[in-house]
Amino acid sequence: MSKTLIVGEIQKGGLREATLELVAMARGLGGDVVSLVLGSGVSGLAEDLAKKGGGKVLCADDAALENYTADAYASVIRKAIEAESPDLVLFSNTPSGWDVAPKVAAGIDAGIVTDVIRIEKDGDELVFVRRMFNAKFDSQLRVTGSPKLATVQPGALEAYSGSEGGSVEAFDAGSPQSRTTFVETRTAASGGHDLSKAEIIVSGGRGLQKPENFEEVLKPLVEALGAQMGASRPVVDAGWLPHEYQVGSSGQVVTPKLYIAIGISGAIQHLVGMKGSNYIVAINKDADAPIFEVADVGIVADLFDIVPALAAAIGSAKG
Amino acid sequence: MKILVCLKQVPHKDARLEASGGWIDEGGIKFEINQYDTYALEEALRIKDAGEAEVVVATIGPDRTSQALRTALGMGADRAIQIWDDSLSGADSLTIAKLLAAAAKDESFDLVLMGLMSDDANNSLTGPMLAELLGLPHTTGAMKIELSDGKAQVERELEGGSLQVVDLPLPCLITVQTGLNEVRYASLKGIMQAKKKPLDKKGISDLGLDAAAVASKVTVDKLYVPTKGEGAEILEGSAGEVAQQLVGKIKELGLL
Ligand SMILES: Cc1cc2nc3c(=O)[nH]c(=O)nc-3n(C[C@H](O)[C@H](O)[C@H](O)COP(=O)(O)OP(=O)(O)OC[C@H]3O[C@@H](n4cnc5c(N)ncnc54)[C@H](O)[C@@H]3O)c2cc1C
C-alpha cells in the first residue's frame, strides 16, 4: 500500500486551491493520503482540509511558522516525512513550494521533479509528466528511491471536490529556528495602468525585438481597436514598458473579451494571466508555439507583416 | 568578499530545437548563458564594482560550455571553474548540486548567486539544493539585493507583483529573477583580458567524488512535442487576407 504526503499551503488566511489540487492528484493515484498544514493558529484550516479529502491531517501549529521561512518549514516537513515514511511527497509549485521542496530533497537525498502536470502509473512505477523549454516540449520522467518528491503546477488539475472524512492530529513542530528572518510582505502597487477592466488587450512579447516597435508597430493596432496595451515579462524586464503592463503569474491576471498575443510564445507563467480571456488571438511565426494551444484563432506569420495590415483593415472597417 | 556565480549554458533562445530521446538534438545549435544566470552574474559584478570582491564563475558542462565561462570572464568575472565527465550527461539537479558543493566547499564564499531556473529544463532546483548541501541559508527569486553589516536584505518575488522582504546572514545563497538589474555586455577589452584569466577544468575524481556518489535519481525517459489539443483555428492567406478574416471575427464578437 503506497502513501502520499501532501504539503498544504495557506494563503490569505485560507487553504490554497492548489492544495486541493494536490489532494485530487494523491486520490487519483490511490493509497493512503496524509497531509501537513503549517502555520500559526491554523487548526481550523487543518479541520477544513480533513473534511476536503486531506485524509489524516498533521497540524503543525507553531508561532515560529507564522511566516514562511525555508529553514523552519523544511525542518517540519522533514520531521513529517520521518514520522510518516511516505512514498511520494507533493508540494505546489508556488514561491514557497519551489523555495522549500529542493532544500528538503537535498537534505534527505531524495529525487525530485518540479512543475509536474500529471503523474501516470506504469505498473508499480510512477511516471512524472512536465513541460520543458518554456512549454515547447513535454517530458516523462522517472525517479528512483523513496520517498519521491514532486512540485505540481497550480491549475494543472481540478481541485478535489469529494468530502471523505479525515482526522486532525496535532504535530509537534518543535519551535523550529530559522537563519532567515521575515521582514514584511509588500503587495503590488496598483499603478495607473489597470488591465483588469479592459475589454480588449493587445499584448506584445519578445518577438517585437525592440522598444520602438511597441510605439511604431503595436500602438497603431492598440489605438485602432481602442484597446489597452499589455506585455510579457521579458519586455518589462528589459525596461521597455513598466511592470503594470505585465500579464502573467507575476503580473496581472486579465479576462478581457478579446486578447491578442503578438510575438509571445505562451510560457505557463504568461498563460495563467490571460487564458481566462473570452476570445484569444495569437500571432506568432512559430507554428509550434504553445500560445496556439490556448488561442481561438491563430496566425502563423511574421508579426511585422500582419500587425500593420490588421491595424489598416480595422481602420477601414470602422470607416 | 568572495562571490560564486553558478551558471548554465543553454540553447540560444532563437535556436530551432528538435527532441531526441530524453533531450534535444544539440547538433548544430547555438548556445548562450541562461538568462536568469546572466542577472546573477551582473549582480555579482555590481558588488565588485562597488567595493572589493572576487567573482568566481562555475559551470558543469562539456567542452562547449567553456565558451559561456569565457563570456562571463569577459564581462568581468575573475576566474572560472568547469566541471565535466562524460558520465554526467543527463545528470539530475541533485547531482549537479553535489558537484558544485564539492567544488565550493573549501573556498569559503561569502555569497553564492545563481538564476532562479534554467531556460532549458526549467527545474528551479539547483540553488536551494546547493545551499542545503553547503549548509547555507538561501532564498529564491530575488528582485533586489542589498548587502550591509554581514547580511543581505532581499526582496523576493511572490505572485501578482507582490514581494516578500527577508534578511539573510552571510554567507548565504540567493537565486535571482530576471529583471533584477540591467545586464552588461562583455567589452572588447574585457574579452581580450578574459583570455588570460584562469579557467580551471576538473573531473569528478578531482573533487574527491566517485560516479556512485553522484549517480542521478531522476531520468528523463522521453522529450516530445506535446500532442495538440483542439488548438486554434489557423487563418491562411496573405497578410491582407488574414487581416480581413480577423476583422470579421472581431465584428462577430461585437467589438467593432
Ligand atoms: C516565477 C516566474 C514568473 C514569471 N512571470 C511571468 C509573467 O507574469 N508574465 C510573463 O509573460 N512571463 C513570466 N515569466 C517568464 C516566462 O517563463 C517566459 O520566459 C516569458 O513569458 C516569455 O516571454 P515571450 O513569450 O515574450 O518571449 P519568448 O518566449 O522568447 O517568445 C517570443 C516569441 O515571439 C515569436 N516571434 C519572434 N519573432 C517574431 C516575428 N517576427 N513574428 C512573429 N512571431 C515572432 C517567437 O516565435 C516566440 O514564440 C515568469 C517566469 C518565472 C520563472
Side-chain angles (χ1 to χ4, degrees):
Chain A
M1 194 65 176
S2 67
K3 189 193 266 189
T4 303
L5 172 67
I6 291 168
V7 178
E9 196 173 324
I10 292 162
Q11 196 181 37
K12 296 188 186 111
L15 274 181
R16 215 184 146 132
E17 180 88 349
T19 298
L20 300 176
E21 295 163 13
L22 299 183
V23 173
M25 182 172 265
R27 296 258 164 216
L29 290 169
D32 283 346
V33 178
V34 182
S35 299
L36 173 66
V37 170
L38 309 93
S40 177
V42 291
S43 56
L45 296 176
E47 295 284 350
D48 196 22
L49 183 54
K51 281 187 205 119
K52 290 177 172 161
K56 179 173 83 176
V57 180
L58 307 175
C59 180
D61 197 338
D62 193 308
L65 299 172
E66 172 157 12
N67 292 300
Y68 167 81
T69 56
D71 283 349
Y73 274 55
S75 91
V76 178
I77 293 165
R78 280 179 65 167
K79 271 181 108 177
I81 292 173
E82 272 160 40
E84 293 293 331
S85 310
D87 305 282
L88 177 67
V89 185
L90 297 179
F91 302 75
S92 299
N93 195 42
T94 56
S96 49
W98 69 60
D99 198 69
V100 78
K103 178 178 168 69
V104 173
I108 62 172
D109 201 33
I112 176 168
V113 185
T114 56
D115 213 20
V116 166
I117 54 175
R118 210 164 59 237
I119 300 178
E120 289 165 0
K121 275 182 144 174
D122 178 17
D124 284 343
E125 282 202 49
L126 300 179
V127 179
F128 299 80
V129 181
R130 67 187 297 270
R131 297 282 164 97
M132 283 201 203
F133 292 90
N134 294 318
K136 252 188 128 49
F137 297 108
D138 266 354
S139 60
Q140 295 182 351
L141 301 95
R142 280 172 209 261
V143 181
T144 58
S146 182
K148 306 177 200 314
L149 275 57
T151 73
V152 179
Q153 186 174 97
L157 287 86
E158 297 275 330
Y160 190 68
S161 58
S163 57
E164 273 85 347
S167 58
V168 175
E169 262 179 34
F171 188 74
D172 182 12
S175 303
Q177 302 291 307
S178 173
R179 294 164 294 183
T180 307
T181 42
F182 169 85
V183 180
E184 60 172 330
T185 302
R186 284 188 209 144
T187 43
S190 46
H193 193 74
D194 182 7
L195 295 172
S196 66
K197 293 186 186 67
E199 279 214 322
I200 306 177
I201 296 173
V202 176
S203 282
R206 214 176 56 82
L208 267 100
Q209 289 168 5
K210 49 185 185 189
E212 303 85 73
N213 289 335
F214 282 79
E215 257 323 286
E216 291 160 18
V217 181
L218 208 62
K219 200 153 175 212
L221 177 59
V222 170
E223 287 179 344
L225 281 166
Q228 298 253 44
M229 192 188 283
S232 66
R233 178 165 187 138
V235 171
V236 173
D237 284 342
W240 300 350
L241 287 173
H243 181 261
E244 63 231 46
Y245 283 73
Q246 185 177 314
V247 173
S249 62
S250 53
Q252 298 189 51
V253 175
V254 301
T255 51
K257 290 184 179 155
L258 173 61
Y259 187 91
I260 308 185
I262 300 174
I264 293 177
S265 62
I268 180 66
Q269 295 89 353
H270 189 79
L271 299 189
V272 299
M274 46 64 77
K275 67 179 182 204
S277 304
N278 173 55
Y279 197 84
I280 298 170
V281 177
I283 302 173
N284 196 305
K285 66 177 180 188
D286 177 5
D288 287 333
I291 190 76
F292 290 118
E293 280 179 58
V294 300
D296 295 283
V297 163
I299 299 170
V300 182
D302 191 327
L303 71 91
F304 296 103
D305 294 334
I306 299 296
V307 176
L310 185 57
I314 289 165
S316 41
K318 290 206 296 198
Chain B
M1 184 92 170
K2 203 168 152 186
I3 308 172
L4 173 66
V5 178
C6 303
L7 51 87
K8 184 175 190 181
Q9 192 192 45
V10 298
H12 192 278
K13 275 182 291 305
D14 298 326
R16 282 221 66 93
L17 304 178
E18 301 286 342
S20 165
W23 194 238
I24 51 151
D25 179 359
E26 293 191 350
I29 60 170
K30 276 205 296 180
F31 288 86
E32 62 182 357
I33 301 177
N34 175 39
Q35 282 287 304
Y36 294 81
D37 299 337
T38 62
Y39 288 92
L41 176 59
E42 176 63 36
E43 199 63 15
L45 296 175
R46 284 179 187 215
I47 295 167
K48 180 181 165 182
D49 292 346
E52 193 86 337
E54 183 193 14
V55 176
V56 181
V57 287
T59 198
I60 318 281
D63 279 349
R64 62 168 162 80
T65 61
S66 56
Q67 181 56 45
L69 295 173
R70 287 283 169 213
T71 303
L73 293 171
M75 287 166 70
D78 297 293
R79 62 185 168 91
I81 303 170
Q82 184 184 352
I83 300 162
W84 189 244
D85 182 286
D86 285 339
S87 68
L88 293 172
S89 166
D92 69 5
S93 303
L94 189 49
T95 292
I96 299 298
K98 285 176 182 172
L99 292 160
L100 290 169
K105 71 175 190 317
D106 297 328
E107 293 237 30
S108 22
F109 290 105
D110 300 291
L111 182 63
V112 183
L113 296 173
M114 54 209 289
L116 167 68
M117 73 174 193
S118 65
D119 265 315
D120 52 2
N122 304 150
N123 284 327
S124 278
L125 285 170
T126 313
M129 285 178 157
L130 177 57
E132 177 69 13
L133 297 174
L134 290 174
L136 300 178
H138 82 271
T139 193
T140 48
M143 287 299 279
K144 189 173 178 190
I145 301 172
E146 255 173 60
L147 299 178
S148 66
D149 309 328
K151 75 171 184 18
Q153 181 157 94
V154 177
E155 290 183 14
R156 78 176 286 251
E157 185 180 86
L158 303 179
E159 293 144 298
S162 14
L163 296 163
Q164 187 184 56
V165 185
V166 290
D167 282 343
L168 296 92
L170 299 183
C172 66
L173 182 148
I174 303 169
T175 78
V176 311
Q177 178 54 293
T178 56
L180 165 76
N181 50 39
E182 205 177 307
V183 182
R184 73 191 64 188
Y185 292 96
S187 65
L188 205 58
K189 185 165 154 243
I191 293 168
M192 293 312 290
Q193 285 171 344
K195 294 191 178 136
K196 291 187 223 94
K197 291 180 178 173
L199 193 165
D200 195 7
K201 298 196 182 196
K202 294 183 186 205
I204 298 176
S205 55
D206 301 324
L207 298 171
L209 297 169
D210 57 41
V214 292
S216 288
K217 298 175 200 301
V218 181
T219 43
V220 185
D221 272 4
K222 192 169 127 190
L223 191 77
Y224 53 100
V225 177
T227 40
K228 299 268 183 288
E230 293 201 350
E233 173 196 347
I234 302 294
L235 305 182
E236 315 268 358
S238 68
E241 285 161 8
V242 294
Q244 280 310 329
Q245 294 175 53
L246 205 49
V247 166
K249 304 266 181 202
I250 299 171
K251 277 189 177 154
E252 279 170 35
L253 294 169
L255 294 171
L256 261 185

